[in-house]
Amino acid sequence: MIGSLYAGVNFPGLMISRANHKEINFEGYQKTKFYLAKAALQSKSFSALKTSSWPYILKDPLPEIAKIIGKFKSR
């Protein structure tokens, strides 16, 4: 989901528009590459880190912390 927002596509907004029978205009998006955090680290490329989920994780680490806690609790 975060990769699509990075490219300028808001899927929840598109779904709401379609549910309300509104026409969808395809503008404002960009063709780009986006890497998930683990893949960006494995690529060993600084540009991959810039276009990855790392900036979002660093801004708000709580969802990632919750995922880690959830994995330990489910054991």
Side-chain angles (χ1 to χ4, degrees), residues 2-71:
I2 201 164
S4 60
L5 290 174
Y6 178 80
V9 179
N10 182 353
F11 283 111
L14 291 175
M15 290 174 39
I16 290 169
S17 294
R18 290 300 299 154
N20 291 323
H21 306 289
K22 293 182 180 176
E23 188 174 325
I24 297 172
N25 297 322
F26 295 101
E27 48 189 53
Y29 66 92
Q30 58 185 355
K31 186 175 179 178
T32 185
K33 291 182 180 179
F34 188 81
Y35 300 90
L36 294 177
K38 186 176 179 180
L41 287 176
Q42 291 172 343
S43 75
K44 299 176 186 170
S45 167
F46 183 70
S47 63
L49 288 174
K50 286 174 46 179
T51 58
S52 72
S53 56
W54 279 109
Y56 300 97
I57 292 170
L58 293 174
K59 283 181 186 175
D60 185 15
L62 191 57
E64 295 299 317
I65 293 169
K67 284 181 197 175
I68 293 168
I69 292 171
K71 286 180 183 178

